[in-house]
Amino acid sequence: MKTFQGRVIVPGTCTAEALVSHGGFNTLASYQMALQFGDKKVKCGDQSNPDIYKKSMLAKALCLPMTIGSTTGGMVLFGACQMGKQPACLLFSETIDSLAAAGAILGDVWTDVSMPVVDRLGQEFLDYVQTGMTITVKEDGVVEVSGE
């Protein structure tokens, strides 16, 4: 097991299976199929992200460097929370952008969903974590990765 310390954006705890993207996460492209067309498995629809394309994001520990793309990204995250189609948590190796942070915070405040968000985990985190590993997020921003 390896431990990383990040900055808490949305507090909370969870344990979930990792889903890792090494490229920027385009929130709108990734969630469009799930939110518009009712994909119950919430498979990533972003063809430009080979790490996670067509993989279920539902209840996963989504590990990524940053979000990219449309200014609708925050609203998409909020919508995913509102519809119960959110990941278990969002873990960023870099600093979260203001739009993604706003969407995650609104999801926390305006819904009954718990989706912890931690950023600034560092490149070492993203280099270490692999899809399928077990992630545990603690209230203080500590992220434990196990299951090599």
Side-chain angles (χ1 to χ4, degrees):
M1 178 174 61
K2 194 156 178 142
T3 301
F4 300 90
Q5 176 69 57
R7 177 178 69 157
V8 175
I9 303 300
V10 176
T13 63
C14 75
T15 299
E17 181 182 334
L19 180 61
V20 181
S21 170
H22 293 282
F25 182 75
N26 185 320
T27 312
L28 179 60
S30 296
Y31 272 98
Q32 188 168 6
M33 296 298 287
L35 299 183
Q36 277 190 305
F37 303 112
D39 173 16
K40 292 181 180 168
K41 292 185 180 182
V42 192
K43 290 185 215 144
C44 177
D46 184 4
Q47 297 176 21
S48 299
N49 194 332
D51 292 335
I52 63 173
Y53 179 55
K54 290 190 176 180
K55 293 182 181 172
S56 176
M57 300 180 291
L58 185 63
K60 301 287 191 210
L62 195 52
C63 307
L64 47 131
M66 71 193 94
T67 57
I68 59 171
S70 172
T71 56
T72 62
M75 201 61 196
V76 170
L77 282 176
F78 168 69
C81 290
Q82 197 173 35
M83 297 171 77
K85 295 186 175 192
Q86 75 285 348
C89 60
L90 292 173
L91 304 174
F92 293 88
S93 62
E94 298 179 18
T95 300
I96 192 172
D97 69 277
S98 59
L99 296 170
I105 292 166
L106 289 175
D108 182 57
V109 173
W110 288 352
T111 71
D112 291 327
V113 166
S114 175
M115 183 182 69
V117 179
V118 179
D119 76 347
R120 297 183 183 172
L121 287 162
Q123 187 59 44
E124 184 183 354
F125 165 74
L126 204 57
D127 290 342
Y128 181 80
V129 68
Q130 296 176 24
T131 294
M133 289 180 152
T134 300
I135 303 282
T136 300
V137 178
K138 308 230 177 188
E139 193 81 31
D140 61 358
V142 168
V143 175
E144 296 175 349
V145 181
S146 58
E148 297 178 59

